[in-house]
Amino acid sequence: MDLNADLGEGFGRWTLTDDEALLACVTSANVACGFHAGDASVMRRVCDAAAVNGVRIGAQVSYRDLAGFGRRSMDVPADELAAEVAYQIGALRVFAEAAGSTVSYVKPHGALYNRTVHDEEQAAAVVAGVGLAGGGLAVLGLPGSHLLTHASAAGLPAVEEAFADRAYTARGTLVPRGEPGAVVHDADDVVRRGVGMALDRAVTAVDGSRIPVEARSLCVHGDTPGAAALARRVRAALEDAGVRVEAFT
């Protein structure tokens, strides 16, 4: 099982994620590319540290929404969205390659991630953006999403992920952040859910039902308070349960 987290979510003098601590325990880093967070200095610093730690670098692409942290859904024309996705990948690739690494995969952030679950046009635009940036990158997304369907159709590795610290609906989608209980705050519960998804391939939804979760990567959000300590606990629990924690790329 891969363990991923969102990193580089700072801007200028403002810092949100504890990048160095997270890079010591995750296997894949979803790096903000400047549209919801991150700037040139942040991207360079995170890529350098990821390369040193042997962590795979992924472009966490977003709607152009710094003020809303990429969590506001936007109706961006498909051609424009594809160009913006390619732009973000290209920006991150410069710093990844300068660090002696490369961009290995793409994962949408926030509202764009949720939109590509059910919006076929936006999902296709993200995949088109990956192609515009040169293709060949894995695409990380929610199982059953239009995003992964289009990625597979384009010949890209489609990688399913699960969320240890987010609540699920009975349909297998994430509970919207604006609703109560969308984020799981109890650390013990996060650890139990993470191990359960890895071993049982299932999780308990908000209505109490058990739903299947087929995933090759497990996410712990980097902007959660105490995220680094939580990620360390999740990784230790996975390894104690006999799960080999390694990057999917």
Side-chain angles (χ1 to χ4, degrees), residues 62-63 69-74 109-116:
S62 170
Y63 288 124
F69 197 59
R71 287 181 174 159
R72 298 182 293 192
S73 186
M74 297 182 171
H109 165 81
L112 182 57
Y113 185 98
N114 292 322
R115 186 77 173 265
T116 59

Side-chain angles (χ1 to χ4, degrees), residues 55-241:
V55 175
R56 299 294 188 270
I57 297 171
Q60 189 165 40
V61 299
S62 170
Y63 288 124
R64 188 188 293 271
D65 182 27
L66 273 176
F69 197 59
R71 287 181 174 159
R72 298 182 293 192
S73 186
M74 297 182 171
D75 293 322
V76 181
D79 287 349
E80 183 178 337
L81 180 57
E84 291 187 343
V85 166
Y87 179 94
Q88 293 174 78
I89 295 169
L92 186 64
R93 181 176 281 141
V94 167
F95 300 111
E97 293 182 354
S101 185
T102 187
V103 174
S104 299
Y105 66 96
V106 175
K107 174 184 173 178
H109 165 81
L112 182 57
Y113 185 98
N114 292 322
R115 186 77 173 265
T116 59
V117 171
H118 58 79
D119 188 317
E120 190 162 4
E121 181 182 62
Q122 297 279 280
V126 170
V127 173
V130 177
L132 188 60
L137 302 178
V139 176
L140 190 59
L142 202 69
S145 64
H146 282 303
L147 177 66
L148 295 189
T149 298
H150 278 278
S152 293
L156 303 175
V159 181
E160 301 91 348
E161 78 168 328
F163 293 83
D165 55 2
R166 289 294 308 277
Y168 281 78
T169 70
R171 296 174 58 192
T173 57
L174 301 180
V175 174
R177 279 186 174 267
E179 297 184 11
V183 179
V184 181
H185 293 289
D186 183 86
D188 291 338
D189 196 15
V190 172
V191 172
R192 281 193 298 269
R193 290 164 68 88
V195 173
M197 290 182 199
L199 295 181
D200 303 329
R201 302 292 175 178
V203 69
T204 301
V206 289
D207 67 350
S209 62
R210 292 285 286 175
I211 58 172
V213 177
E214 292 292 337
R216 294 167 55 196
S217 185
L218 186 66
C219 179
V220 176
H221 280 90
D223 63 335
T224 300
L230 186 58
R232 284 194 297 270
R233 284 194 57 188
V234 170
R235 177 163 187 161
L238 288 170
E239 291 174 338
D240 288 345

